[in-house]
Amino acid sequence: MQFRDLGHQYRVLKADIDKAILEVAASGTYIMGSRVKDLERQLAEYAGTRHCISCASGTDALTLALKAWDIRKGDAVFVPDFTFFASAEAVSLAGATPVFVDVDGETFNIDHEDLENKIEATIRNGDLTPKVIMSVDLFGLPANYPAIRRIADRRNLLILEDGAQGFGGSVNGKRSCSFGDISTTSFFPSKPLGCYGDGGACFTDNDEWATLIDSYRMHGKGSSKYDNVRTGMNSRLDTIQAAILQVKLKAFDAELDAVNKAAAEYTARLRDIVETPVVPAGFRSSRAQYTIRLKSRTERDGLQEYFKAQGIPSMIYYPTPMHRQRAYRDSGLPETVCPVAEKLCGTVLSLPIHPYISLEEIDRVCDAIKAFV
Ligand SMILES: *Cc1c(COP(=O)(O)O)cnc(C)c1O
């Protein structure tokens, strides 16, 4: 059994993916080109935004967004304490300060009440200027955008949606990567829409920001690549990755249905035994992960050991809250209190899930959990 069986997906899509890769090889165009432009148009249409600007990774996409807004030293960006390190890392790379916000114990996403508290504390303290709320669509579930947008509007803050895990999710039919003033995603192979290497994208309705991101991703180009009007980056999507993504995008909706069906099968078997993932009414998750909560660290660690003995893969996403990462220890960040994130790090366990997982595999995982708990 595999945690996320990308080889299975390849075997299903092989004819089209092989053809696409060979076409790029024969074309002589390997970076950007019309395929990348076509893909950007398709992705923007899918997400429901005016612009999609692809780039080299999900981390770069966050960096490009922060550059477009000129976020820098002295600025505060509110980041959930329970996420992948890249969310906060991009803020630090920009020279700004991540202010960690606790998460909701059921959805795992940024807690809007603690967000209010952390914004107020930052204003009271006076050292930093609140600028951006970075919401993360963790494990595929869109953050609570109705509440976050109200806070952003009242406080005059920008929303940066880190949709690295969220592409394909939605709230009342509105799709992920359309909720931020700028939204980003990652095409890392194991993300909901993954390529065969690194890749990422920014999404926005704002023409000016789209132009800035397009410039920053290509050495701060002006009217041409050799007219450099700002210092930027080298962050482009390879043509071969765009070709692979075009094939995968065609299969994406069917895969979303399949992975949500797999999640429902898990929940039906597990809901009376452990805490299963919560998807609020009107929300749809892209099911980047299926993450259960155990009663204690001892029980969680014990279950993972038991899985290992049975040959069942599982992952702890994430073992350490952001503010306790070594990179942030003694770094002079404002004191952080995020009890829910701390608790989740000690009790969560992510189970094997992907669009091609079989009912037999799901049964095997669930039987092991039943036997252990
Ligand atoms: C994967 C991920 C990123 C970074 O994406 P890369 O393409 O690996 O750079 C950022 N944020 C979150 C929440 C992620 O899961």
Side-chain angles (χ1 to χ4, degrees):
M1 188 181 325
Q2 291 195 27
F3 188 72
R4 196 166 182 88
D5 194 346
L6 294 170
H8 192 135
Q9 184 197 43
Y10 171 65
R11 290 191 294 280
V12 171
L13 305 175
K14 182 176 184 329
D16 288 344
I17 286 186
D18 287 0
K19 184 163 166 277
I21 290 174
L22 289 174
E23 275 173 15
V24 175
S27 75
T29 302
Y30 305 120
I31 290 187
M32 304 293 286
S34 64
R35 266 177 198 276
V36 173
K37 280 267 162 285
D38 288 347
L39 174 71
E40 289 177 341
R41 252 193 312 275
Q42 291 167 333
L43 291 171
E45 191 186 330
Y46 192 92
T49 56
R50 275 173 63 78
H51 303 281
C52 167
I53 310 97
S54 62
C55 63
S57 73
T59 309
D60 278 6
L62 293 170
T63 298
L64 287 163
L66 294 170
K67 269 183 152 332
W69 288 338
D70 197 22
I71 299 303
R72 54 172 71 211
K73 192 169 160 54
D75 293 338
V77 178
F78 299 89
V79 179
D81 198 37
F82 188 60
T83 179
F84 179 58
F85 189 65
S87 310
E89 186 182 33
V91 176
S92 301
L93 266 174
T97 303
V99 175
F100 296 114
V101 179
D102 211 354
V103 295
D104 180 277
E106 299 217 308
T107 64
F108 308 141
N109 280 329
I110 198 162
D111 179 301
H112 61 93
E113 283 173 18
D114 194 51
L115 176 60
E116 288 270 24
N117 295 340
K118 297 277 159 73
I119 293 170
E120 272 180 20
T122 304
I123 294 170
R124 258 197 322 271
N125 181 284
D127 289 344
L128 300 168
T129 312
K131 286 279 176 73
V132 176
I133 300 167
M134 185 192 292
S135 49
V136 178
D137 303 335
L138 203 73
F139 304 152
L141 181 68
N144 184 352
Y145 288 104
I148 295 169
R149 183 51 76 183
R150 278 194 296 276
I151 294 171
D153 286 350
R154 199 166 52 238
R155 302 282 185 175
N156 201 16
L157 301 174
L158 293 160
I159 298 177
L160 175 50
E161 175 188 5
D162 179 352
Q165 303 178 13
F167 196 79
S170 59
V171 183
N172 298 321
K174 183 174 162 59
R175 286 208 172 116
S176 291
C177 294
S178 72
F179 296 112
D181 294 294
I182 299 177
S183 304
T184 64
T185 198
S186 162
F187 304 126
F188 183 80
S190 60
K191 305 283 162 132
L193 181 65
C195 61
Y196 284 179
D198 277 308
C202 295
F203 298 81
T204 185
D205 287 332
N206 184 297
D207 299 344
E208 189 191 332
W209 297 334
T211 304
L212 280 170
I213 292 168
D214 181 42
S215 167
Y216 277 122
R217 74 171 157 171
M218 222 178 285
H219 303 291
K221 70 170 177 170
S223 55
S224 85
K225 189 176 167 183
Y226 302 106
D227 170 34
N228 306 93
V229 296
R230 50 186 72 86
T231 52
M233 303 162 60
N234 172 11
S235 185
R236 298 168 298 216
L237 187 69
D238 292 342
T239 316
I240 214 159
Q241 303 302 350
I244 291 163
L245 285 167
Q246 282 185 305
V247 174
K248 288 215 194 178
L249 190 58
K250 277 200 209 121
F252 190 59
D253 279 334
E255 288 191 346
L256 275 181
D257 288 343
V259 79
N260 269 288
K261 198 159 160 286
E265 298 287 353
Y266 265 130
T267 300
R269 287 161 178 73
L270 295 176
R271 73 160 67 99
D272 296 331
I273 307 168
V274 295
E275 299 288 339
T276 51
V278 174
V279 178
F283 283 60
R284 189 173 201 224
S285 171
S286 64
R287 301 289 186 182
Q289 303 296 339
Y290 187 91
T291 303
I292 60 170
R293 282 168 289 149
L294 286 306
K295 286 197 199 71
S296 65
R297 184 181 287 273
T298 316
E299 190 182 46
R300 190 273 309 272
D301 292 349
L303 177 58
Q304 194 175 36
E305 279 306 308
Y306 186 73
F307 273 156
K308 258 189 210 142
Q310 313 264 317
I312 295 171
S314 65
M315 300 291 285
I316 297 174
Y317 293 130
Y318 293 94
T320 311
M322 284 299 106
H323 76 279
R324 287 198 192 281
Q325 287 286 1
R326 263 178 62 191
Y328 286 129
R329 251 187 254 155
D330 311 318
S331 61
L333 288 187
E335 191 179 300
T336 305
V337 183
C338 293
V340 179
E342 304 257 10
K343 173 143 194 257
L344 289 175
C345 289
T347 52
V348 288
L349 192 62
S350 298
L351 308 181
I353 193 163
H354 55 87
Y356 304 95
I357 195 168
S358 68
L359 269 185
E360 291 71 41
E361 288 174 309
I362 290 172
D363 277 330
R364 232 187 99 203
V365 176
C366 295
D367 289 347
I369 296 172
K370 282 176 200 163
F372 178 82
V373 179

